[in-house]
């Protein structure tokens, strides 16, 4: 504020200068704000995936990328940054500028890694949820030569093996969802301790089960479905709340008496922390358009997965629940990433 003793001319000059300075400062700030949300996207957007091409998460990202580009008017390119169960990609997006040009496509491991890795992992609840791409039920499978034809037979087989030297199972990697899910199933079914045989990914683990090199595993339905349909694997149960449309003859764990056992793995789309709400809303709307397209939804359901959707709050709730569930299982069983 100017002193009353200053001249009228000086006040006018200072007022003009202040207005000019203020407008000069505010104009770029306004343009920046407009550029961060209103004009977004003004250039290509990267969908960062923490896994190599061809896996469930990468497939989910590629399934939506073309439709997002059509809806929002800029290319959405998939950028694979594999390593540490998705931690490398997650950390990169976590520290990215919240401008909407680097988004994260991740799976349930985002909610598991903070509990199983000794090195720091981003808290999944820090990210800005955008929308759920797909969910996949897990399926407990054995080789067709196994004596286990149902859950009771599987439990008897495990107990017999454990009593006569030990019983093992395959996983896609120590500390991942297939490892934790089998230990959760063991807890709920009251089974004895089993020995995990970790693999570097689902593909080699499934191949060894098909080759009868390991007794059993639990993994995503979309990965196991071709082997089940061809008779190379026998399904025992699915882990969701309802039977899987692609495997209607296979009962759920809850139907078989494993109360409160409802487990799915999911693939979602997140932004970095503090992503503007307008960008999150517009991307969610474009994602809903993509998932309503039969060209996108058809391959998801054909593979045995469930189409996602819903608002950001659905993904946020799923993230919170998953973070708590897998954290509890990891702590109870002393599970760490390999």
């Amino acid at each position: 504020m100017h002193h009353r003793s200053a001249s009228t001319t000086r006040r006018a000059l200072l007022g003009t200068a202040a207005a000019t300075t203020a407008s000069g400062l505010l104009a770029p700030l306004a343009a920046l704000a407009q550029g961060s949300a209103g004009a977004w996207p003004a250039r290509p957007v990267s969908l960062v995936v923490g896994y190599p091409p061809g896996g469930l998460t990468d497939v989910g990202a590629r399934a939506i990328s073309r439709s997002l580009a059509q809806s929002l008017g800029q290319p959405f390119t998939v950028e694979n940054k594999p390593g540490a169960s998705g931690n490398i990609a997650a950390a990169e997006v976590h520290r990215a500028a919240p401008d909407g040009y680097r988004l994260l496509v991740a799976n349930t491991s985002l909610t598991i890694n903070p509990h199983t890795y000794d090195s720091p992992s981003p808290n999944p609840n820090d990210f800005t949820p955008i929308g759920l791409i797909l969910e996949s039920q897990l399926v407990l499978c054995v080789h067709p030569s196994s004596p286990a034809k149902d859950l009771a037979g599987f439990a008897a087989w495990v107990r017999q093996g454990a009593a006569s030297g030990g019983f093992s199972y395959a996983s896609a990697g120590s500390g991942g969802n297939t490892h934790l899910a089998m230990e959760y199933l063991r807890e709920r079914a009251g089974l004895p301790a089993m020995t995990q045989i970790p693999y570097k990914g689902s593909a080699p683990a499934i191949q060894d089960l098909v080759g009868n090199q390991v007794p059993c595993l639990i993994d995503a339905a979309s990965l196991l479905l071709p082997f089940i349909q061809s008779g190379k694997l026998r399904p025992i149960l699915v882990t969701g709340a309802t039977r899987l449309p692609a495997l209607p003859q296979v009962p759920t764990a809850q139907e078989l008496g494993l109360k409160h056992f409802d487990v799915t793995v999911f693939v979602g789309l997140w932004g970095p922390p503090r992503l503007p709400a307008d960008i999150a809303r517009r991307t969610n709307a474009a994602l809903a358009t993509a998932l309503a397209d039969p060209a996108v939804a058809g391959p998801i359901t054909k593979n045995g997965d469930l189409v996602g959707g819903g608002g950001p709050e659905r993904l946020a709730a799923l993230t919170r629940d998953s973070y708590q569930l897998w954290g509890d299982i990891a702590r109870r069983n002393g599970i760490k990433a390999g």
Side-chain angles (χ1 to χ4, degrees):
M1 181 177 291
H2 306 296
H3 295 292
R4 292 183 182 277
S5 58
S7 67
T8 303
T9 302
R10 184 167 180 267
R11 283 201 303 269
L13 289 171
L14 287 174
T16 302
T20 303
T21 302
S23 64
L25 289 173
L26 291 175
L29 289 175
L32 179 63
Q34 178 72 9
S36 67
W40 178 88
R43 62 180 191 271
V45 177
S46 290
L47 299 177
V48 184
V49 176
Y51 301 89
L56 185 68
T57 310
D58 177 75
V59 168
R62 292 180 191 279
I64 63 169
S65 60
R66 182 176 299 178
S67 185
L68 291 180
Q70 290 172 344
S71 293
L72 294 168
Q74 288 287 343
F76 277 68
T77 59
V78 176
E79 188 177 329
N80 298 94
K81 295 263 183 172
S85 295
N87 263 349
I88 292 173
E92 181 176 307
V93 175
H94 190 265
R95 62 178 177 263
D99 57 10
Y101 291 101
R102 294 190 77 71
L103 305 178
L104 178 68
V105 178
N107 64 33
T108 311
S109 293
L110 184 71
T111 68
I112 295 174
N113 292 341
H115 307 293
T116 58
Y117 273 82
D118 291 328
S119 56
S121 301
N123 187 316
N125 299 301
D126 289 349
F127 292 91
T128 303
I130 294 173
L132 181 65
I133 298 172
L134 63 86
E135 282 188 272
S136 186
Q137 292 199 32
L138 302 174
V139 187
L140 172 63
C141 282
V142 299
H143 191 269
S145 65
S146 161
K149 293 181 171 57
D150 53 27
L151 180 59
F154 178 76
W157 186 39
V158 172
R159 293 190 180 101
Q160 181 182 6
S164 60
F167 190 92
S168 61
Y169 65 90
S171 85
S174 292
N177 57 63
T178 61
H179 181 189
L180 273 72
M182 184 63 90
E183 291 299 328
Y184 190 34
L185 177 68
R186 181 192 61 75
E187 288 180 343
R188 289 294 187 189
L191 299 175
M194 298 184 281
T195 301
Q196 180 216 188
I197 302 176
Y199 287 78
K200 292 184 178 180
S202 293
I206 294 169
Q207 283 303 133
D208 269 10
L209 180 58
V210 170
N212 203 19
Q213 303 300 306
V214 288
C216 63
L217 63 68
I218 192 167
D219 211 327
S222 54
L223 301 178
L224 296 168
L225 188 63
F227 302 98
I228 295 170
Q229 291 174 330
S230 64
K232 294 178 180 177
L233 293 179
R234 177 187 297 151
I236 301 296
L237 57 82
V238 296
T239 64
T242 60
R243 292 196 181 199
L244 193 62
L247 294 171
Q249 77 281 12
V250 182
T252 68
Q254 294 192 69
E255 284 181 83
L256 299 175
L258 302 185
K259 302 300 182 186
H260 311 297
F261 191 95
D262 178 5
V263 177
T264 62
V265 295
F266 59 90
V267 175
L269 178 62
W270 288 265
R274 299 176 301 281
L275 183 72
D278 179 58
I279 293 178
R281 281 194 300 268
R282 290 172 59 195
T283 310
N284 177 266
L287 177 61
T289 299
L291 296 176
D293 182 352
V296 175
I300 292 176
T301 55
K302 181 181 178 182
N303 288 338
D305 292 326
L306 307 171
V307 177
E313 64 282 352
R314 180 184 180 191
L315 180 60
L318 195 58
T319 303
R320 287 192 302 269
D321 291 348
S322 183
Y323 181 71
Q324 181 174 339
L325 171 68
W326 298 118
D328 289 345
I329 295 167
R331 283 187 290 272
R332 284 197 303 268
N333 293 280
I335 294 174
K336 290 293 183 180

